[in-house]
Amino acid sequence: MFNLFNKQSKSLGIPQKKESLESLWRLTKILMENLEFEDVIYKVVNSLLTELGYLKSGYRIVVLSLIDEKAGGLRRIALSETAEARRATSVSTIPFEKIVIPFSATNNLGIKVLLTGRPEVTSYWPDILSPPLSKEAALTNQKSAGIQTSMVYPVFSRGKPIGSLIFSMVKEYKEVTEEEKDLLSGFTDLIGLAVENSMLFTTLRRTTAQLEVANQKLKELDRLKDDFVSIASHELRTPMTAIRSYVWMALNRSDVPLSQKVEKYLARILISTERLINLVNDMLNVSRIESGRIEINPEPVDLIKLVKDIVDEVYYSKSAEQTIQFVILEKPTPQVFADPEKLRQVLLNLVGNSLKFTPPGGKIIFDFFSDGQTVETSVKDSGVGISKEDLSRLFQKFGRLDNSYVAISSSGGTGLGLYISKALIDLMHGKIWASSEGLDKGATFTFSLPVANRDILEHQEEFKITAKGQAKGLEPVAI
Ligand SMILES: Nc1ncnc2c1ncn2[C@@H]1O[C@H](COP(=O)(O)OP(=O)(O)O)[C@@H](O)[C@H]1O
Ligand SMILES: [Mg+2]
């Protein structure tokens, strides 16, 4: 029927003539200058008329419509800024931006071109405006604008129809040259990609802006949470420490004899209070680590001496019921460069864990290995062990394993100890890992730390700065 729209030029989408190619190149440049959706659609409907002098060739109105799934049709998006366009909109019964051609209106050329993928032409505006306009209303619009011919092109992007373009002119269809058709066809192909890219770009930009706001809010909430944990923990720690001291005195320094029952109750209060204090301390530690408010003060540390001190401390504090053997495999070991307080905290947690998960009569062995660059310290117990699947979860926050092994001692735990230990070792440029032959085969926890060699000592300041991270110089973390 519209034999002049030859299929070949449409499917190739490239103008055949040199002048058309040049024009298309200019349009491409204009369209690609800016990716903002509003700018792109404005240029789509105006650039052809103004930049390429198409007004001289009788072209007066370009209309871009895009598929609007929500509205169930093809929605008018942009319209050229010409006197003819203004005249048509001023008499229209429906405002331009409210015009949606329903998908069901398959005789409307806007929808038809989407279905067939081929352009159409008409000199009768009800073909492009009804529905939603009545035929009379559509004709009134056409008359006020003084348009004789309208060509409708489907707009595709990545092989999918996304909308249509209507080129309206004040001349008859037979006056349209081959060259013009070539250019319109090439232009339409270009529009598909430009419009879709700009939609993606604008959505991306808006989403990025929204994400930025959300991210700021989250950061603020995170800070508030840190502050809350920090303040709440501090406030809890003081009264709990007082309770612990008084219960301890009531138990051990009472001047009246205690009945067995009262003694049992007091002992339980003491254990529970200790658990609470541990929990609060762990929470404080986590909050400080996560907000970067932790200070690392590294110095050369003799690991064997530190381990001996810790074993003495643990051994004597539990001396009465102590049935677990500690073995320290002493050997010449270089000093490491680490924060002794933090290291103590890590070791106390590892020893505490081994004690918790090793039945009476068991053994805890400390071993050391150095390759000259680092020192590996391992704490190996003969306790309940850890299954393969659980090994990777150990160092996560609240990483208490929910399998059936019951801690040998009743003091329970928070599941934060290893998380804190790993964070501290990381801050001291070390590594920590666990291994176990399986359940009931014991567990080994090993951490490695850099040797305090001349190189490190000469660059101490650098090391400290990096170790401190974003430290804000708060008081050292209590154990
Ligand atoms: N030596 C060990 N033997 C067996 N399981 C262990 C050992 N050390 C740690 N675990 C497991 O790892 C979990 C996490 O340890 P940790 O982070 O120190 O928390 P907590 O001691 O408060 O439970 C423990 O609850 C336990 O399930
Ligand atoms: Mg622990």
Side-chain angles (χ1 to χ4, degrees):
M1 53 182 160
F2 305 110
N3 53 1
L4 286 175
F5 289 121
N6 70 67
K7 255 184 154 183
Q8 204 190 8
S9 86
K10 174 71 200 116
S11 62
L12 285 175
I14 299 167
Q16 312 293 306
K17 292 219 174 85
K18 186 168 165 270
E19 298 77 44
S20 303
L21 268 175
E22 277 170 5
S23 304
L24 195 59
W25 174 237
R26 273 167 58 199
L27 283 172
T28 313
K29 268 183 26 193
I30 295 166
L31 278 176
M32 297 299 169
E33 259 166 20
N34 193 330
L35 269 172
E36 217 47 74
F37 183 68
E38 297 299 328
D39 288 337
V40 169
I41 59 170
Y42 175 87
K43 282 180 189 159
V44 165
V45 292
N46 288 299
S47 58
L48 193 79
L49 303 181
T50 54
E51 310 285 334
L52 296 188
Y54 263 49
L55 281 168
K56 277 192 219 124
S57 322
Y59 288 75
R60 290 295 182 271
I61 308 177
V62 179
V63 169
L64 172 71
S65 308
L66 291 176
I67 288 177
D68 182 341
E69 295 288 352
K70 261 198 218 144
L74 195 58
R75 178 186 286 284
R76 294 286 195 258
I77 297 291
L79 170 76
S80 319
E81 286 187 337
T82 56
E84 287 78 1
R86 270 193 292 279
R87 288 209 298 272
T89 46
S90 68
V91 296
S92 183
T93 51
I94 303 180
F96 176 79
E97 66 280 4
K98 293 257 162 67
I99 298 175
V100 177
I101 300 156
F103 289 133
S104 56
T106 48
N107 282 330
N108 186 308
L109 298 185
I111 302 295
K112 195 171 171 191
V113 298
L114 293 185
L115 297 172
T116 63
R118 279 202 303 271
E120 296 278 348
V121 65
T122 183
S123 55
Y124 181 63
W125 265 18
D127 280 350
I128 53 172
L129 278 171
S130 313
L133 264 69
S134 69
K135 288 198 167 104
E136 296 70 39
L139 281 170
T140 309
N141 284 11
Q142 183 175 6
K143 241 182 240 151
S144 333
I147 296 297
Q148 287 190 49
T149 309
S150 289
M151 288 196 274
V152 189
Y153 281 77
V155 177
F156 282 83
S157 173
R158 291 171 243 271
K160 271 193 346 231
I162 63 163
S164 74
L165 270 174
I166 305 172
F167 302 97
S168 295
M169 58 202 88
V170 290
K171 63 181 180 184
E172 282 187 44
Y173 180 57
K174 60 177 192 281
E175 294 171 64
V176 177
T177 65
E178 269 311 303
E179 198 190 332
E180 284 168 33
K181 275 181 229 159
D182 256 4
L183 186 69
L184 293 185
S185 171
F187 181 64
T188 309
D189 278 358
L190 183 72
I191 301 303
L193 210 60
V195 168
E196 178 132 317
N197 280 349
S198 71
M199 278 200 287
L200 288 177
F201 172 80
T202 306
T203 317
L204 194 69
R205 195 180 46 69
R206 284 193 195 135
T207 316
T208 312
Q210 283 166 355
L211 277 178
E212 238 159 57
V213 173
N215 200 20
Q216 277 308 322
K217 272 196 194 142
L218 278 178
K219 273 193 188 149
E220 175 63 13
L221 277 177
D222 202 45
R223 201 184 55 74
L224 285 174
K225 180 213 72 185
D226 277 342
D227 288 354
F228 172 76
V229 171
S230 184
I231 293 166
S233 311
H234 264 301
E235 295 305 313
L236 283 170
R237 207 154 55 152
T238 320
M240 277 182 338
T241 319
I243 296 174
R244 179 176 58 181
S245 312
Y246 285 119
V247 176
W248 188 89
M249 284 198 286
L251 257 178
N252 299 293
R253 298 279 185 273
S254 173
D255 42 16
V256 282
L258 300 176
S259 73
Q260 256 192 349
K261 248 191 191 165
V262 170
E263 201 174 312
K264 196 170 91 187
Y265 294 157
L266 287 175
R268 286 200 184 158
I269 296 176
L270 192 61
I271 288 179
S272 296
T273 314
E274 257 161 18
R275 262 166 80 171
L276 274 175
I277 292 173
N278 285 341
L279 173 66
V280 164
N281 280 338
D282 277 353
M283 281 173 37
L284 259 179
N285 279 326
V286 168
S287 128
R288 283 175 186 164
I289 287 168
E290 291 188 346
S291 58
R293 289 177 300 169
I294 195 155
E295 201 170 337
I296 303 283
N297 292 310
E299 60 186 66
V301 180
D302 181 342
L303 268 166
I304 297 191
K305 188 173 171 305
L306 186 67
V307 166
K308 276 184 178 168
D309 287 351
I310 285 172
V311 167
D312 281 351
E313 195 179 313
V314 174
Y315 195 82
Y316 288 114
S317 69
K318 309 219 170 192
S319 55
E321 78 261 43
Q322 195 54 259
T323 57
I324 292 188
Q325 195 191 345
F326 287 93
V327 181
I328 301 175
L329 299 174
E330 277 186 61
K331 56 189 73 162
T333 304
Q335 291 190 319
V336 292
F337 194 61
D339 181 326
E341 271 313 305
K342 305 293 178 294
L343 211 47
R344 233 176 83 82
Q345 201 177 340
V346 172
L347 276 162
L348 269 176
N349 181 46
L350 295 184
V351 177
N353 283 349
S354 287
L355 280 173
K356 246 194 304 194
F357 297 102
T358 305
K363 230 190 224 180
I364 299 174
I365 304 170
F366 297 85
D367 200 359
F368 308 88
F369 167 80
S370 178
D371 60 1
Q373 292 299 311
T374 57
V375 175
E376 286 180 14
T377 308
S378 59
V379 183
K380 179 180 163 75
D381 63 48
S382 59
V384 296
I386 300 159
S387 71
K388 279 233 153 47
E389 309 81 71
D390 285 337
L391 278 174
S392 58
R393 291 173 36 213
L394 285 173
F395 297 96
Q396 291 168 8
K397 215 189 286 182
F398 301 109
R400 292 187 69 187
L401 307 178
D402 44 23
N403 55 21
S404 59
Y405 19 113
V406 183
I408 304 303
S409 92
S410 60
S411 63
T414 57
L416 290 171
L418 287 176
Y419 173 80
I420 295 169
S421 304
K422 180 171 172 359
L424 294 177
I425 294 283
D426 283 349
L427 283 172
M428 293 188 282
H429 302 275
K431 286 198 178 77
I432 182 165
W433 64 94
S435 62
S436 173
E437 297 286 307
L439 292 182
D440 285 328
K441 302 257 171 67
T444 307
F445 284 81
T446 311
F447 60 86
S448 74
L449 285 167
V451 166
N453 56 26
R454 215 198 300 148
D455 196 31
I456 281 194
L457 293 175
E458 271 168 14
H459 296 92
Q460 243 188 72
E461 283 314 308
E462 264 168 55
F463 192 93
K464 267 189 199 169
I465 292 162
T466 40
K468 275 184 187 176
Q470 350 155 2
K472 292 187 190 121
L474 285 196
E475 80 269 38
V477 180
I479 303 168

